[in-house]
Amino acid sequence: MFERYTEKSRRAIFFARYEASQYGSPKIETEHLLLGIMRERREALAAWFPGRKNVAAEIRNEIEKRTARAERVLTSIELPLTLECRKILQLAAEAADRLGHREIRPEHFVIAILRVETCVAAQILSARGLKASMVEQTVGQESRPVSARVVVADSRASQTVNEFLEGLKSLAAGELVRFFAKDAQFIDASGKRWTREEIENDGEMLFALYAKKNATYVLEEILADTSSLLIATVLWKNALLASQERSWMHRMTVVFRERPDWKIVVVQVTPVQASLSAGE
């Protein structure tokens, strides 16, 4: 899970550990995590509290009132996260998944804190009128929408990628085979590897979930874009059949090569888990 954290998220946790040590706490509590987030996203926090000019100072003063200071803990001593903090990290990952975000940002931590309503950090934020739904809506609106149409350096590659993604929604399996190289592999969400021959023979079953009316996709990122290689990641929602017990979202990584036309050589589908264990 931690590999999904942005640099700001990592620093927020580092600062939370620092805050805990300054208060002499043997563990990183939710209020320390909130202080760590404030150090990284002070401007965002202020925007969530319009009309309150000194909300950061208010929050710190409130934490000061609730905390009994002890002797400072040496920075060389490892401080564990409390169970509530671990729960918050888990819920932050879920919030990022719901919003279709690949990375976990400090804003997702705030949403998660507010979901753990009994923790000190949530009580402090809620007392000032902040709600999880408000933050989630704001974060969702702030996320720059990515067009479902791919724009890459090579116009032929761009056309091929767009035709393939749109074809998954509208074309028959027999028509989709032409996008795949002879040695192509399609690794579905269950881990099964499909060869081009298998795609040609049984593609209807493989592609049926993408043709569902409520299945939607959005381009997440272009990982590589050269004269002969294109790698794109696409987030799909509701691309599953009624008989399948899988995540309602999954990430599709598609690798195209020029041979000499642009063809798919690998498709890797990875379920986006709705929840992660607290110990991860």
Side-chain angles (χ1 to χ4, degrees):
M1 181 169 68
F2 290 103
E3 66 274 6
R4 294 179 61 191
Y5 287 0
T6 63
E7 186 62 30
K8 285 182 178 293
S9 293
R10 295 173 188 271
R11 285 201 298 264
I13 293 176
F14 170 81
F15 285 131
R17 189 251 174 258
Y18 171 79
E19 293 286 354
S21 69
Q22 295 306 293
Y23 282 99
S25 174
K27 294 183 178 180
I28 300 173
E29 304 279 356
T30 63
E31 55 267 37
H32 304 137
L33 180 58
L34 177 56
L35 290 172
I37 294 167
M38 284 169 49
R39 284 178 175 267
E40 278 300 316
R41 298 295 283 131
R42 182 181 293 268
E43 69 285 358
L45 194 68
W48 293 332
F49 295 96
R52 304 181 79 108
K53 295 182 180 180
N54 300 312
V55 66
E58 284 183 28
I59 290 173
R60 182 172 286 278
N61 288 338
E62 180 68 20
I63 292 173
E64 291 277 354
K65 292 176 183 177
R66 291 170 174 252
T67 304
R69 282 187 177 270
E71 185 177 350
R72 291 181 182 179
V73 178
L74 295 176
T75 55
S76 59
I77 297 176
E78 186 68 26
L79 298 182
L81 294 163
T82 62
L83 290 177
E84 285 182 321
C85 277
R86 288 182 176 275
K87 180 65 174 178
I88 286 168
L89 299 190
Q90 175 188 340
L91 293 176
E94 294 179 15
D97 289 342
R98 276 197 309 276
L99 292 168
H101 297 164
R102 189 171 188 178
E103 295 180 317
I104 299 172
R105 308 200 300 264
E107 293 87 341
H108 299 128
F109 291 160
V110 175
I111 295 170
I113 285 172
L114 289 163
R115 299 287 184 197
V116 184
E117 297 177 354
T118 58
C119 75
V120 171
Q123 291 172 10
I124 291 172
L125 293 176
S126 298
R128 287 159 178 78
L130 200 61
K131 297 180 180 179
S133 57
M134 293 166 52
V135 179
E136 191 157 335
Q137 182 178 9
T138 302
V139 173
Q141 290 173 347
E142 289 174 350
S143 301
R144 180 172 60 87
V146 184
S147 171
R149 298 196 63 81
V150 182
V151 179
V152 296
D154 191 312
S155 60
R156 293 173 304 149
S158 176
Q159 181 179 354
T160 302
V161 177
N162 289 321
E163 287 181 355
F164 172 66
L165 292 175
E166 293 170 12
L168 285 171
K169 293 290 297 174
S170 60
L171 297 178
E175 297 174 275
L176 289 167
V177 173
R178 65 182 173 86
F179 291 101
F180 292 85
K182 291 184 178 179
D183 58 347
Q185 290 191 359
F186 191 115
I187 306 167
D188 66 22
S190 69
K192 172 179 168 53
R193 293 177 179 268
W194 297 68
T195 64
R196 189 183 188 280
E197 183 179 2
E198 290 173 325
I199 293 171
E200 188 171 2
N201 294 334
D202 300 309
E204 292 290 349
M205 181 173 61
L206 177 62
F207 298 130
L209 63 167
Y210 302 105
K212 291 184 63 181
K213 289 184 178 180
N214 65 335
T216 60
Y217 70 88
V218 61
L219 174 71
E220 282 193 305
E221 189 176 0
I222 298 294
L223 300 177
D225 180 11
T226 70
S227 60
S228 60
L229 175 69
L230 175 67
I231 305 176
T233 60
V234 183
L235 187 71
W236 284 87
K237 296 182 181 181
N238 298 315
L240 76 167
L241 301 179
S243 60
Q244 295 175 314
E245 294 183 0
R246 296 174 187 164
S247 174
W248 69 288
M249 298 170 61
H250 70 241
R251 185 166 287 112
M252 175 185 285
T253 302
V254 192
V255 181
F256 292 82
R257 284 195 178 277
E258 191 177 26
R259 293 187 167 187
D261 296 328
W262 286 92
K263 297 288 185 182
I264 296 171
V265 290
V266 176
V267 176
Q268 171 77 64
V269 176
T270 307
V272 176
Q273 298 299 324
S275 63
L276 297 170
S277 65
E280 290 184 331

